[in-house]
Amino acid sequence: MIQHHKQLSLDMLLPEGFGSGSSGVTALTESAVMARSDSCKASCKLAGRCRSLARKPRSTDGLEALVDRGPPGPGHPPQHLLIDGQASLVRLTANGIEWASAHGGTPATGAVPFSEILYIKRVEPCSRTALCCLPVRLGPRLEVHTISRPQRRRCDWQPRTLVLEAAAEEAVQDWAAGISAGIEAVSASRPRSLLVLLNPNSGHRKAGSLYRRVVAPALSGAGIRVVVRETQHVRHAQDIAAQLSAEQVAAIDGIVCVGGDGVFHEAMNGLLEARGAAAAAGNDELAEALSALRLAHIPAGSTDAVACTFHGTRSAFAAVAHLLLGDTTPLDVLRVDIGGRSKFACAMAAYGFLGDVTHNAEAFRWMGPVRYDLLGAVKLLAGRSYPARIRYLEGEVGRVLSRPAHAHAVCGTDCATCRTASFMNSRRRSQQQLLVAGGSSSPLASASPTVVIANGTAAASIAPPPAAAAARPTSAPAAVPAAAAAAAAAGETSGAGQLSPAASGAVNSSERSRHFLQHAAGAFERQGGEGEQWQEIEGVFRSIMLIVMPCRSDKTLHGMARHGHLSDGRLKLVLVTKCSPLQYLRFLLTMSHSGCAPGQLPYVQVLDAVAVAVEPTGGTPSAWNLDGECISSKAIADLGLAAECHQGLLRVFARGVE
């Protein structure tokens, strides 16, 4: 009954005329071809193809004598099977499949853990005629679809199919049941149903073909129910994600974006818009369900910086494999309040050079990705700079992570810097909630002076800037979670009054991200610490960039911010002062080769921050580039921008670069 209800709820996502369209998997199996006579080689028109199929000559005759019957499983003796055509001793362990060659001499061994098996597929026995006109018997087979890692780039996963063959159908059934049970034991986070947002115009209109060739067969093979929605216009993906009902959210485990960075940006904004609306309406159950949804990016665009940052590669198969395995990691999101609107970005917000290029490129979309290179050259030679006043807040977490142990760390799988930031932020939120529950005003809300740096020179301290004195949050603070309050009452602390990991982890995702509804200009109350100060820099800048994650791509293999992280709650504030076109070209080449880092160039500053305010101080302002979306100068003239980084606000199907 529950499954039927979930099926009906998922069907509500499909408007009339749309279908899931998931194609089945085409099983490509390699047949054992008997040796051919010289006359067959001479007469067969496809002799080359025949030799290819016959490169592993074997026969299934006598295989029954090799097979040990009995259910495979941990603790059972190995069984004789054919692994990719080779007689092997195969066993199931608690972790996966292991095998060794059954022949004498140096044994060929191998292993595949359950945690890396994408899915299995049974192939029924049949008899066929080979290209050399000789009959071939195909015995019962089990295809184990998994991954392989190239030696040079381990993150660039490749598909691998392991073929297990037995003489009896019952043996294949036993092995299928045993492997399925092992996968089920480690598949708690694997998705069962997904909403796919496909942009058919991405990648020179090749996204649809890529989905049918790579994505759909893998999802079908894994038994994942899919609903596909093709985007019809700009912000269509955002509208779909923002309008999900409670029943539709309950029916899916995540949203898959097939296309360029733009469709992921739209889906993220729509999902956060829906979360904000649910939280504002007091519907905590829906807000929690929306927070549990994960996003995936299947690269099919011109840049694909999101997928490349998540996985270290633009391979669509690698992205699908992470999705099927249920890999999950939190992702920082930058809330940007500009021109009376709120937007979200996960990659970067750029003002000046990159904003101008994006703004002018809108009129040349027919040129494809080359338009960015051509317009970039034009803007580089123009050499335009913009006067602005910038205020930034380093934050308590930022000061801790700026220590040598974390300052030069590169984000990857199981990143220690991201784990430290997550623990510190959870502890701070729990402490703030306990103070509110006890009737105490948080010391973090006290005003602090601002250090003003005019053109790089420190000046006298002045009163707090307008960003710190902006409108305070209008919504009441969230109540203390019961688990955190009980832990505090029981004295579950570690160190000098710090909440233990168990207590800090009690803060659920809804409580953790509730403050993302509040205006970014009030970030000081949430991010500041004892002795915290807003820092101010005023000058003329060629470029201002707020980089949230490393932003890897084909043009920046190490990332635009080499030491950026996926989930440390910080952004890299990159300020390029007024300089010549040749100097700015040097900056672009340095960023492309090694990524931005402090001290590389004298006219470039790279600062860690948790919140930033940018105010144009003269002339015609530039446009803002938010993850590739252009916000024109008309919307921000004399208004400025306030931005705050929210640690781990979203969850995505990824594990970081291996």
Side-chain angles (χ1 to χ4, degrees), residues 155 297 306-313 318-319 322 653-658:
C155 59
H297 180 216
V306 172
C308 194
T309 301
F310 288 170
H311 315 302
T313 176
H322 285 286
F653 287 101
R655 66 173 62 175
V657 178
E658 289 188 325

Side-chain angles (χ1 to χ4, degrees), residues 56-83:
K56 291 183 180 179
R58 62 177 175 84
S59 173
T60 59
D61 296 339
L63 182 60
E64 296 186 21
L66 293 175
V67 176
D68 296 327
R69 294 290 296 122
H76 288 260
Q79 298 184 14
H80 286 83
L81 297 176
L82 292 180
I83 298 287

Side-chain angles (χ1 to χ4, degrees), residues 380-588:
L380 178 67
L381 296 176
R384 186 176 179 185
S385 300
Y386 300 90
R389 183 182 299 111
I390 301 168
R391 301 182 180 94
Y392 70 95
L393 187 67
E394 185 179 16
E396 181 185 24
V397 175
R399 291 199 304 274
V400 172
L401 297 182
S402 63
R403 297 170 183 171
H406 299 288
H408 303 293
V410 176
C411 190
T413 302
D414 198 22
C415 177
T417 299
C418 293
R419 290 201 317 270
T420 301
S422 180
F423 173 75
M424 291 186 63
N425 279 307
S426 297
R427 186 194 64 202
R428 280 174 52 82
R429 283 187 287 265
S430 297
Q431 289 174 335
Q432 289 174 344
Q433 291 166 350
L434 289 172
L435 287 171
V436 171
S440 303
S441 60
S442 172
L444 304 180
S446 59
S448 292
T450 301
V451 175
V452 180
I453 305 176
N455 293 321
T457 305
S461 297
I462 62 173
R472 298 298 186 259
T474 56
S475 58
V480 183
E492 288 188 20
T493 59
S494 60
Q498 300 176 358
L499 290 179
S500 66
S504 63
V507 184
N508 60 38
S509 59
S510 180
E511 298 289 352
R512 183 178 68 238
S513 62
R514 187 181 295 274
H515 69 284
F516 87 91
L517 296 173
Q518 301 166 0
H519 198 278
F524 181 81
E525 288 81 356
R526 298 181 291 274
Q527 302 279 11
E530 186 176 354
E532 182 68 53
Q533 295 177 332
W534 284 90
Q535 310 257 354
E536 182 174 312
I537 301 176
E538 186 169 4
V540 181
F541 302 96
R542 187 76 187 271
S543 178
I544 301 172
M545 292 187 291
L546 286 62
I547 305 177
V548 188
M549 61 183 184
C551 290
R552 299 182 181 93
S553 67
D554 291 343
K555 295 183 179 180
T556 55
L557 296 180
H558 296 287
M560 298 178 67
R562 185 183 185 93
H563 302 124
H565 290 265
L566 291 179
S567 182
D568 66 346
R570 299 178 299 167
L571 59 88
K572 299 293 182 182
L573 176 59
V574 181
L575 306 175
V576 184
T577 57
K578 186 177 181 179
C579 58
S580 67
L582 186 60
Q583 288 176 314
Y584 195 78
L585 177 61
R586 183 184 177 188
F587 160 73
L588 292 177

Side-chain angles (χ1 to χ4, degrees), residues 287-310:
E288 185 69 22
L290 289 165
S291 300
L293 289 183
R294 289 169 287 176
L295 290 179
H297 180 216
I298 309 299
S302 57
T303 304
D304 301 321
V306 172
C308 194
T309 301
F310 288 170

Side-chain angles (χ1 to χ4, degrees), residues 129 164 170 190 195 337 339 360 405 415 440 472 634 637:
T129 301
L164 282 68
E170 293 78 7
R190 298 195 182 195
L195 169 62
D337 296 310
N360 287 271
C415 177
S440 303
R472 298 298 186 259
K634 295 181 180 179

Side-chain angles (χ1 to χ4, degrees), residues 244-247 249 274-291 510-511 514 517:
L244 292 175
S245 66
E247 292 79 9
V249 172
R275 282 173 59 174
N283 191 344
D284 289 340
E285 184 178 354
L286 178 57
E288 185 69 22
L290 289 165
S291 300
S510 180
E511 298 289 352
R514 187 181 295 274
L517 296 173

